[in-house]
Structure formats: structure tokens, C-alpha cells
Amino acid sequence: MSRLEARRLVIDIPGRGDGRALDVCLEPGQVWGVLGPNGAGKTTLLHTLAGLRAPRSGQVRLDGRPLSGLGRRQVARRLGLVFQERHDGFPATVRETALIGRHPYLSPWQMEGAEELRLAEAALERLDLTHLAERLVGTLSGGERQRLAIATVLTQAPALWLADEPTNHLDLHHQTEVMALLAEEASAGRAVMMCLHDLNLAARWCSHLLLLYPDGEACWGSAETMLVPAALEALYGQRLATAWVDGAPVFVPAR
Ligand SMILES: Nc1ncnc2c1ncn2[C@@H]1O[C@H](COP(=O)(O)OP(=O)(O)OP(=O)(O)O)[C@@H](O)[C@H]1O
């Protein structure tokens, strides 16, 4: 189990004021959704929390220690990242790509063994990719690539997931499967923070929400307290109609 903490954190968005400093702690069992309009800083926040970008001020702490003082391998054993942008390096198969998830645990020239392979195969199976294991990544569809990115982090088995729009490119069934998987990870004592554009997925699956406004203002708390139609309408500059389905609110843009 691990925890990731933002202390008085101000993300660095060029030309923007500081807004509200973030004091947020991602704890075992929690599923956080980060909501906000285009350009609000969701990806920048995730990259800052992952240690890939320096904050303007404040600190990110992983298990009580400043993230900036930890080695990348140490971080990668605890923190898994699903990025929005992916660039193919050398040509690799789906299975080889999933196995990259085990690299933080192997010494530089150590080959993956039976246990690594077992974890990768289980992750591919979970993401419905077993039939594509031998395929080159470059030949995959957008949704298949997205599922592979998630399978690679599942193979990595981190205590903390940071996922940037994990349901991007996914059909309805796979959106639900991925959200269920992330919720299951949290139920097993891990923790998830993800950027989402779909309010309804956030309402259904997230325990906590962080609302990021384009001027750097922010508010956060349990999902029930954050899913206030007026606050969401202000966030997106969009009127919403609300209905209830299966005990969760459903938001639809109103004309
Ligand atoms: N290197 C940079 N130089 C200047 N501006 C930048 C730079 N990187 C990001 N930005 C700006 O910072 C803002 C936040 O970008 P970010 O990608 O974090 O937004 P986002 O909330 O994830 O948006 P989206 O919903 O469109 O994915 C945007 O206005 C973006 O143009």
C-alpha cells in the first residue's frame, strides 16, 4: 500500500496565476477523478504528481518522502502511469509491450522469467488482448492500444495508478470493464487517480473528485459532495439536466 500526497501544490501552467494550492492525498482504496474543461491543467497535474514535471511551488510526497528525492525505479515500483500520448519506439509485439511493465523490478540486462510472463498474460487476458499477443503494436486500433497501455500498468502492478483519460478510444463495454478494473484495484488496497471527461463515469465509479477550473481555482472532496449540478455547470460553462439511474446521477447537456 502506498499514498501520494500533494502539499500546497501549485502546478506550473505558463502565463496562469497560481490559483488554489492543492492539498490532496491519494490513499489506499480511493478512486479519484480529476474533472475540468480543456486546458484546465488535468494532464499537467497528473504529470506533476508523477514527478515528470516540476511544480511551480509546493511538494509531492510518496509514502511520506519527497518524490523529487526518489529514484525513477523506486517510483516505478509504486506508481503506474497511463498516458494520453504514446509513441512507438522500436517495433514490439503486444506481449513484449505488456512485459515492459516488469522492467522496474528487473536488473538492466535481466531477461523476463516465467513469473513476469504469467503476470503479463494475466493482464492481457483481463484486457481482452490475449488473441492479439503476437501482433505488432503499430497494427492495433486506438482502443486496443489504450487497453494495452492499461494491461502494461496492470503487469507493473503498482500500488498507485495515475491514468490520463483511461477510457479514451474505448467502446462502451470496454469503458465499463476498465472502470470496473480500476475500482477493483482500489478495493484491493491500491489507489487510483484519473482524468476524465465523462461526468457519468466519474459519478458512477469515483469515490473522490477534484474539480480544476481554467484559472487555477480548484475544489475537491468526496464524490457526493462534488457532484453538485450548479458547480459542474460552472466548471464546464454548460447547462446540465440530471437524472438518477441505478443510484447514481446521470448528467446530460441541456440545450
Ligand atoms: N509547454 C507549455 N507551454 C505553454 N503552455 C503549455 C505548455 N504545456 C501545457 N500548456 C498549457 O497548459 C494548459 C493545461 O494543459 P493540460 O494539457 O494540462 O490541460 P488538460 O486539462 O489536460 O486539457 P485537455 O482536457 O484538453 O486534455 C493548456 O492551456 C496548455 O495549452
Side-chain angles (χ1 to χ4, degrees):
M1 287 197 196
S2 278
R3 51 206 302 277
L4 188 69
E5 198 182 347
R7 275 202 196 164
R8 305 295 305 151
L9 185 75
V10 176
I11 58 174
D12 191 21
I13 295 193
R16 186 167 96 176
D18 286 358
R20 183 172 176 197
L22 304 176
D23 278 303
V24 174
C25 190
L26 175 59
E27 310 227 25
Q30 295 181 339
V31 179
W32 280 79
V34 181
L35 302 177
N38 291 141
K42 301 178 296 296
T43 298
T44 306
L45 171 62
L46 240 55
H47 285 192
T48 307
L49 290 174
L52 302 175
R53 243 182 116 124
R56 184 177 294 169
S57 61
Q59 206 178 46
V60 179
R61 296 175 82 88
L62 178 57
D63 295 327
R65 296 176 57 193
L67 189 64
S68 51
L70 298 172
R72 283 318 299 176
R73 266 164 89 79
Q74 258 177 305
V75 174
R77 288 179 183 185
R78 281 178 268 175
L79 196 67
L81 315 171
V82 180
F83 286 119
Q84 229 184 96
E85 305 283 332
R86 281 178 284 278
H87 304 286
D88 298 333
F90 55 90
T93 66
V94 166
R95 182 182 289 110
E96 287 162 350
T97 302
L99 277 167
I100 291 171
R102 299 312 297 165
H103 285 187
Y105 305 91
L106 301 174
S107 55
W109 301 109
Q110 191 182 352
M111 290 293 290
E112 300 92 355
E115 177 60 6
E116 277 71 41
L117 200 58
R118 189 189 66 74
L119 289 167
E121 297 292 357
L124 292 179
E125 167 98 39
R126 183 69 212 273
L127 272 301
D128 248 350
L129 291 167
T130 302
H131 62 295
L132 297 172
E134 300 297 331
R135 280 268 290 280
L136 285 175
V137 175
T139 68
L140 298 181
S141 74
E144 290 163 348
R145 274 174 182 245
Q146 183 70 6
R147 274 151 49 211
L148 177 56
I150 293 160
T152 305
V153 175
L154 192 59
T155 308
Q156 184 184 343
L160 300 163
W161 288 65
L162 295 178
D164 201 352
E165 298 182 37
T167 56
N168 229 355
H169 299 294
L170 300 185
D171 61 56
L172 272 182
H173 170 67
H174 285 112
Q175 286 181 23
T176 310
E177 288 284 299
V178 161
M179 295 303 285
L181 163 68
L182 295 175
E184 232 175 73
E185 286 288 294
S187 305
R190 294 179 272 279
V192 180
M193 182 176 272
M194 64 185 125
C195 302
L196 283 171
H197 276 301
D198 188 325
L199 271 180
N200 297 321
L201 289 180
R204 169 110 189 257
W205 298 98
C206 293
S207 61
H208 293 75
L209 292 174
L210 170 62
L211 275 47
L212 262 188
Y213 293 81
D215 59 358
E217 282 307 315
C219 54
W220 56 88
S222 67
E224 308 90 79
T225 57
M226 291 293 114
L227 289 169
V228 177
L232 298 172
E233 287 178 341
L235 183 68
Y236 294 106
Q238 171 64 50
R239 279 201 319 119
L240 297 168
T242 311
W244 286 81
V245 178
D246 287 344
V250 174
F251 301 97
V252 184
R255 277 201 257 173

